């Protein structure tokens, strides 16, 4: 027998028996008054709210998880019972009839809910308690075999919205219907085809067309590691203190609760499924998966996107971009044929024609002159390391030359070619290049060279266009130094949080892959300053690759330095980032010591503490010898202090407490000795130690983390007192550990201590990131602890700082 004890049926009984003057929205809000405001008048309600309540009542949508969480508190069920007694029952025309009908629902569902539960519900004599118990059972025990619904993630996932569709998109109706038909029966579908044929646009168009079918549409641009891409989603409850693994676990736990009313688009999945170990795990979930890939697949359901119809669709697409070309249809047809009916290239050809003022026949001759179109062999769809197809690349290269871009546009293209094809914020790009306006960027968008996602406010280059742009503009360190300087500054300010550190880190990785090193000394310093940035945001997987790149650049400088000792050099401007003028191929003692420092840090996760100690000692010896023959500067003195601090940490993990204390005291002594260089104000000394403590917290090794905090805090208190950021950070981490261990009294004590220290030290800047982090934890702590008035105080602080 089918279960009838559902919320829709229960609320249906109440609605059937209520007074006409008691509207549905008022009944629902009275029922859930612990979460919904039932004091609002009809005129104060939002139309969307009444629609949402109707969906709950007719069973189209389940009761939201946020409401269910509110009623995890047993006292709130007492509130519901009181509301039945005081608000709902007085508005029923026939209270007794409503009870009889609910009892019928219960008896009709005995095979599902079992006799014991039916008896327990029916035997409740008090009507208010009875109605409350039936509602409680109905919303907490869904035995329906029908469709399950996903929680609404619109306010949970703060990024990765469905990108905007290309305004010129045409055709593909059959493909979109085929996708819909397949996903109605199966949950996973691959969209395959060659690069630039329109796979991503078809996926976006399907999602846009069927948007009303889905509670959630999540868009993921695949960057080579699916777990990392899931971790890099931005959730509302993410915090800086979470490492990648913790973020992944939190995010994936939410994704596992999603059902077929959620669509996940995995774009740019240009690897074979066997090469991505997590794909099979993701495919086990109940959500629908739409995956775009250039690879030919045999063992998975797929739809191949082929060329648009030349006579109708491609010609219409060409005219949509270049209406004036209608006067020469023969040349347009020949152009489309010349570029092998390739969608992206057809669009670029039309846009080039429109922007350049050429005649279609002239453009045709230019394309033929590149000599690639004569190869009429079929372009095979295949996977290799470069995803490079000579015919398409050749045509795109010619088209970009024909646009006759000015120097400013070429510079924009040169810099954007270094950034990830997944996209960067348009506003951030403008700031990084110090552009007065976005006129040239918008012009490149009009030419079709830059793709704009208006929904997510990002810009990017198509992978094929990126390849051409790199070859044509030759992005070197020197030519891209304005953008590099801005990103360098972000790395140097690694004590300050940015809204999207993941975006910055993806930009840095992409730059490292594509930049041409014409100034190795500058770029070495940039790489060295990237390390603490990646370390702060716990992207530990990339650290070893970064260290390898640092060593590679140093080896290049060593080799070239033997033959050309002073070809260029760099100077530092007032902001602290180097200006590129002349390069020097000299490897300093600081460079060598810092490389040893980073290599030692990589040994900690492997627990190779003895090897780390050897590297730290070698680095310290290098710096001490350097100071014997050279005047110390802020960089060398700060590095020496940090090396002693990090050696102290290695000794601490090695259980050599006496040596650990000695080294940490030496670290502070160095800071005092070179106080005139600004080392006292510098908060780097304990950065690595506290990062390690944070890693232990993420791994739930709380006792080990507290050992490190105890050690650091007592030494700081002895040497420097308590009025400093180092001491405040120790108190902050104590509070975080207690918060994580659900020890509210201890957490409150230490977080308030940290807050007081940060305000005292940073009194000239009350809106500082240290205080913000503490306020976030205190707000969350007081909300969990039920101290709503205190929580509101910190909520106001957080709101006022945005």
């Amino acid at each position: 027998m089918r279960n009838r004890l559902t919320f829709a049926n229960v609320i249906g009984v109440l609605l059937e028996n209520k007074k006409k003057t008691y509207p549905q929205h008022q009944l629902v809000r009275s029922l859930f008054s612990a979460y919904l405001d039932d004091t609002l008048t009809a005129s104060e309600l939002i139309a969307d709210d009444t629609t949402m309540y109707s969906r709950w009542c007719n069973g189209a949508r389940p009761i939201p998880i946020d409401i269910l969480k509110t009623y995890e508190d047993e006292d709130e069920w007492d509130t519901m019972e009181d509301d039945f007694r005081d608000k709902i029952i007085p508005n029923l025309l026939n209270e007794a009839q409503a009870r009889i009908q609910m009892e019928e629902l219960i008896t009709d569902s005995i095979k599902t809910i079992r006799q014991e539960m039916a008896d327990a519900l029916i035997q409740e004599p008090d009507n208010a308690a009875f109605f409350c118990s039936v509602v409680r059972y109905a919303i907490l025990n869904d035995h329906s075999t029908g469709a399950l619904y996903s929680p609404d993630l619109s306010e949970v996932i703060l990024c990765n919205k469905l990108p905007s569709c290309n305004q010129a998109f045409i055709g593909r109706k059959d493909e979109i219907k085929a996708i819909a038909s397949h996903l109605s029966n199966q949950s996973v579908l691959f969209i395959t085809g060659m690069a630039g044929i329109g796979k991503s646009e078809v996926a976006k168009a399907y999602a846009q067309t069927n948007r009303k079918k889905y509670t959630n549409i999540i868009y993921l641009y695949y960057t080579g590691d699916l777990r990392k891409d899931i971790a890099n989603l931005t959730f509302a409850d993410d915090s800086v203190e979470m490492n990648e693994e913790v973020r992944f676990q939190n995010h994936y736990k939410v994704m596992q609760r999603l059902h077929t009313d959620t669509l996940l688009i995995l774009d740019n999945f240009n690897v074979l499924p066997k090469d991505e170990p997590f794909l099979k795990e993701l495919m086990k979930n109940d959500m629908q998966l739409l995956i775009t890939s250039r690879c030919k697949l045999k063992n998975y359901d797929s739809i191949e996107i082929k060329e648009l119809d030349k006579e109708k669709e491609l010609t219409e697409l060409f005219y949509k971009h270049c209406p004036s070309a209608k006067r020469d249809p023969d040349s347009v047809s020949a152009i489309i044929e010349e570029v092998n009916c390739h969608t992206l290239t057809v669009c670029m050809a039309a846009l080039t024609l429109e922007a350049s003022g050429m005649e279609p026949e002239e453009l045709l001759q230019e394309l033929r002159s590149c000599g690639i179109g004569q190869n009429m062999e079929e372009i095979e769809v295949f996977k290799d390391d470069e995803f490079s197809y000579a015919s398409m690349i050749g045509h795109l290269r010619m088209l970009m030359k024909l646009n006759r871009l000015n120097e400013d546009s070429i510079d924009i293209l040169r810099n954007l070619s270094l950034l990830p094809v997944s996209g960067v914020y348009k506003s951030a790009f403008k700031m990084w290049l110090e552009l007065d306006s976005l006129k040239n960027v918008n012009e490149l968008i009009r030419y079709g060279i830059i793709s704009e996602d208006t929904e997510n406010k990002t810009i990017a280059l198509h992978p094929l266009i990126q390849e051409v742009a790199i070859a044509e503009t030759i992005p070197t360190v020197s030519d891209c130094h304005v953008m590099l300087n801005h990103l360098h500054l972000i790395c140097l300010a690694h004590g300050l949080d940015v809204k999207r550190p993941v975006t910055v880190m993806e930009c840095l990785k992409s730059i490292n892959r594509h930049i041409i090193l014409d100034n190795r000394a500058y770029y070495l310093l940039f790489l060295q300053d990237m390390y603490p940035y990646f370390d702060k945001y716990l992207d530990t997987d990339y650290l070893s690759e970064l260290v390898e790149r640092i060593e590679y650049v140093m080896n290049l400088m060593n080799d070239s330095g033997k033959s050309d000792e002073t070809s260029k050099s760099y100077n530092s401007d007032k902001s602290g980032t180097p200006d590129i003028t002349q390069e020097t191929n000299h490897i300093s003692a600081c460079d060598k010591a810092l490389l040893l420092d980073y290599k030692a840090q990589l040994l900690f996760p492997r627990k190779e503490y003895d090897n780390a100690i050897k590297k730290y000692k070698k680095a310290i010896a290098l710096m001490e010898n350097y100071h014997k023959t050279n005047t110390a500067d802020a960089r060398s003195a700060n590095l020496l202090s940090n090396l002693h601090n990090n050696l102290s940490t290695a000794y601490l993990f090695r259980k050599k407490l006496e040596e650990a204390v000695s080294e940490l005291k030496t670290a502070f002594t160095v800071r005092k000795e070179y106080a005139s260089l600004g080392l006292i104000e510098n908060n780097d000394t304990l950065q690595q130690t506290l990062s390690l403590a944070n890693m232990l917290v993420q791994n739930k090794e709380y006792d080990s983390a507290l050992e490190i905090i105890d050690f650091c805090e007592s030494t700081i208190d002895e040497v420097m007192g308590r009025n400093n950021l180092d001491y405040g950070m120790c108190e902050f981490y104590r509070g975080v550990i207690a918060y994580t261990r659900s020890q509210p009294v201890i957490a409150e004590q230490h977080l308030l201590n940290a807050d007081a220290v940060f305000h005292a030290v940073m009194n000239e800047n009350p809106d500082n990131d240290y205080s913000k982090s503490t306020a976030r934890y205190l707000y969350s702590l007081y909300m969990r602890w039920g101290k709503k008035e205190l929580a509101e105080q910190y909520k106001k602080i957080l709101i006022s700082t945005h």
Side-chain angles (χ1 to χ4, degrees), residues 541-700:
D541 288 347
Y542 189 66
L543 292 179
S544 57
E545 184 177 333
L546 191 55
V547 168
E548 287 176 7
R549 187 153 183 82
I550 290 170
E551 189 165 24
Y552 169 74
V553 174
M554 287 174 64
N555 288 335
L556 286 179
M557 291 170 65
N558 253 338
D559 292 341
S560 60
K562 293 171 184 175
S563 57
D564 182 9
E565 193 62 31
T566 56
S567 57
K568 289 185 181 178
S569 64
Y570 60 84
N571 297 312
S572 181
D573 64 14
K574 293 179 182 178
S575 66
T577 50
D579 278 337
I580 300 175
T581 53
Q582 295 291 313
E583 181 183 27
T584 176
N585 290 306
H586 176 64
I587 302 295
S588 70
C590 284
D591 296 328
K592 295 174 184 176
L594 195 57
L595 179 60
L596 287 167
D597 180 19
Y598 291 162
K599 284 185 173 182
Q601 290 179 32
L602 294 178
L603 297 172
F604 277 81
R606 304 203 296 263
K607 298 184 178 181
E608 296 180 22
Y609 306 125
D610 288 335
N611 285 337
I613 289 169
K614 289 178 184 177
K615 290 189 185 299
Y616 283 133
K617 286 183 174 180
K618 186 175 180 181
I620 288 169
L622 277 171
M623 295 311 302
E624 288 176 343
N625 289 334
Y626 174 81
H627 283 165
K628 288 177 182 177
T629 56
N630 297 272
T631 302
D633 55 28
R635 185 190 184 209
S636 64
N638 191 57
L639 177 56
L640 179 58
S641 175
N642 287 345
L643 288 168
H644 281 290
N645 174 76
N646 295 344
L647 177 56
S648 168
T649 304
Y651 276 131
L652 186 63
F653 276 97
R654 195 65 182 79
K655 306 297 183 185
K656 295 185 176 182
L657 188 59
E658 187 177 334
E659 289 90 338
V661 172
S662 174
E663 290 298 329
L664 190 55
K665 286 182 177 179
T666 303
F668 287 116
T669 301
V670 171
R671 287 173 72 179
K672 285 186 173 182
E673 182 181 351
Y674 296 104
S676 61
L677 298 174
L679 263 65
I680 294 296
E681 293 79 12
N682 191 310
N683 193 42
D684 281 347
T685 301
L686 290 174
Q687 186 67 39
Q688 175 64 14
T689 305
L690 293 175
S691 294
L692 287 167
N694 186 23
M695 288 173 62
L696 290 169
V697 171
Q698 302 300 330
N699 294 330
K700 299 184 179 179

Side-chain angles (χ1 to χ4, degrees), residues 260-527:
T260 53
D261 62 331
T262 290
L263 174 67
L264 173 63
I265 297 176
L266 184 58
D267 200 5
N268 191 51
F269 190 78
N270 298 323
V271 297
L272 295 172
K274 67 181 180 63
D275 295 329
E276 172 45 73
F278 193 70
L279 181 63
K280 282 190 176 180
E281 176 64 31
L282 184 67
M283 291 168 67
K284 292 177 184 177
N285 293 296
D286 196 28
M287 72 185 98
Q288 293 187 352
L289 274 176
L290 194 56
I291 307 171
T292 71
S293 177
R294 296 182 194 169
C295 303
K296 284 184 173 179
L297 304 168
K298 295 180 180 178
N299 301 322
Y300 294 87
D301 293 330
S302 63
I303 291 177
E304 184 177 352
I305 303 300
K306 297 183 178 179
E307 296 87 356
L308 287 164
D309 180 78
K310 176 191 169 185
E311 300 302 326
K312 294 182 180 179
E313 295 169 324
L314 280 176
T315 303
E316 181 187 345
L317 182 63
F318 197 102
Y319 292 152
K320 204 166 187 178
H321 287 303
C322 184
S324 62
K326 290 179 181 179
R327 62 177 178 265
D328 190 354
D330 292 339
S331 293
V332 169
S333 179
I335 289 170
I336 293 171
E337 192 70 41
E338 182 67 25
V339 299
N340 297 317
C341 301
H342 181 248
T343 311
L344 175 65
T345 316
V346 169
C347 291
M348 281 283 294
L351 288 164
T352 299
L353 192 61
E354 179 72 11
S356 66
M358 298 173 69
E359 292 297 323
E361 189 174 354
E362 290 180 77
L363 177 63
L364 177 62
Q365 293 306 316
E366 291 284 3
L367 287 170
R368 284 175 173 169
S369 71
C370 69
I372 296 173
Q374 305 304 318
N375 180 9
M376 300 307 293
E377 293 181 10
E378 181 183 356
I379 300 173
E380 290 291 335
V381 181
F382 63 96
K383 170 192 170 293
D384 65 14
D385 290 339
E386 301 298 330
F387 300 106
S388 173
Y389 310 103
S391 176
M392 292 179 282
I393 292 294
H395 289 132
L396 290 170
R397 199 165 184 169
M398 175 60 71
L399 290 168
M400 286 172 66
K401 285 180 179 177
L402 294 176
N403 275 301
R404 298 180 177 89
L405 305 177
N406 60 40
E407 284 301 316
D408 289 339
S409 294
I410 291 172
D411 190 57
I412 286 168
L413 199 54
R414 178 184 294 118
N415 282 274
L416 191 56
S417 72
L418 291 174
L419 302 181
V421 290
S422 55
V424 294
Y425 288 113
K426 194 175 183 181
S427 57
F429 185 73
K430 177 177 182 281
M431 179 180 67
W432 294 345
L433 260 67
E434 299 180 5
L435 300 175
D436 293 330
S437 73
L438 287 166
K439 177 184 174 183
N440 287 312
V441 172
N442 292 330
E443 193 76 354
L444 289 166
I445 292 170
R446 188 169 71 84
Y447 291 162
I449 296 174
I450 292 178
S451 303
E452 181 177 22
D453 176 4
T454 54
E455 179 66 33
N456 292 294
K457 301 177 182 177
T458 60
I459 55 174
L461 297 179
H462 187 282
L464 291 177
I465 294 178
Q466 182 194 49
E467 188 171 335
V468 173
I470 289 173
E472 290 295 310
T473 65
I474 311 175
T476 65
V477 173
S478 299
D479 287 337
C480 299
H481 72 276
V482 173
M483 181 176 74
L484 296 185
N485 276 345
H486 277 278
L487 289 166
H488 198 164
L489 271 174
I490 293 173
C491 292
L492 287 169
H494 58 81
L496 303 176
D497 294 334
V498 296
K499 287 183 179 179
R500 287 284 291 152
V502 169
T503 301
V504 174
M505 289 189 288
E506 289 304 312
C507 288
L508 295 173
K509 292 176 186 178
S510 183
I511 289 169
N512 287 341
R513 284 193 296 271
H514 299 299
I515 194 91
I516 297 168
L517 300 180
D518 70 328
N519 191 322
R520 295 160 185 165
Y522 169 83
Y523 205 70
L524 174 62
L525 188 59
F526 189 12
L527 290 170

Side-chain angles (χ1 to χ4, degrees), residues 700-760:
K700 299 184 179 179
E701 297 179 39
Y702 303 123
D703 292 334
S704 298
L706 280 173
E707 282 183 23
I708 294 177
I709 301 298
D710 289 343
F711 163 71
C712 290
E713 196 171 59
S714 61
T715 308
I716 294 165
D717 191 14
E718 178 186 344
V719 178
M720 297 178 63
R722 300 187 176 187
N723 192 33
N724 56 78
L725 289 174
D726 290 329
Y727 187 85
M729 286 302 295
C730 287
E731 283 294 294
F732 174 74
Y733 275 93
R734 280 186 185 279
V736 170
I737 291 169
Y739 172 89
T740 309
R741 297 178 98 168
S742 299
Q743 298 171 330
V745 176
I746 299 173
E748 180 189 39
Q749 175 190 339
H750 290 297
L751 288 171
L752 288 174
N753 287 347
D755 196 40
V757 171
F758 294 150
H759 277 98

